């Protein structure tokens, strides 16, 4: 119910901000934005789209504190974001 009520506000914010890339931190954010039920592991490593905006899925920062082995994969996800931003800037 909360997602249903807040989604119009989120869509409007994305439209106003016009982000080049969106990062979804954690399973809940990723599943909500992409409207899927896949595991975070299956969603990682790909570039998704949220209303036409590239979206990268990665681990939630709190999960990284509990699972230090995920630090490297999270860093790789952020590097994917960086490459997308560079491509958008003509780099």
């Amino acid at each position: 119910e909360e997602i249903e009520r807040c989604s119009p506000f989120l869509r409007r914010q994305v439209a106003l901000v016009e982000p080049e890339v969106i990062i979804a931190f954690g399973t809940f954010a990723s599943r909500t934005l992409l409207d899927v039920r896949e595991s975070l592991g299956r969603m990682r490593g790909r570039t998704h789209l949220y209303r036409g905006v590239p979206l990268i899925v990665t681990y939630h920062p709190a999960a990284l504190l509990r699972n230090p082995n995920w630090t490297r994969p999270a860093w790789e996800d952020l590097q994917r974001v960086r490459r997308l931003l560079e491509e958008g800037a003509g780099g």
Side-chain angles (χ1 to χ4, degrees), residues 2-22:
E2 183 178 348
I3 293 169
E4 194 174 306
R5 288 184 181 184
C6 294
S7 290
F9 297 104
L10 176 63
R11 287 192 296 271
R12 181 67 179 140
Q13 285 179 333
V14 170
L16 289 170
V17 172
E18 298 179 354
E20 293 180 52
V21 179
I22 296 172

Side-chain angles (χ1 to χ4, degrees), residues 19-26 29-30 33 50 53-61 74 77-82 84-85:
E20 293 180 52
V21 179
I22 296 172
I23 306 172
F25 289 98
S30 303
L33 290 171
Y50 175 79
V53 178
L55 183 144
I56 300 298
V57 171
T58 194
Y59 298 103
H60 191 282
D77 296 335
L78 294 177
Q79 291 302 307
R80 179 182 296 276
V81 171
R82 182 178 178 182
L84 285 169
L85 290 169

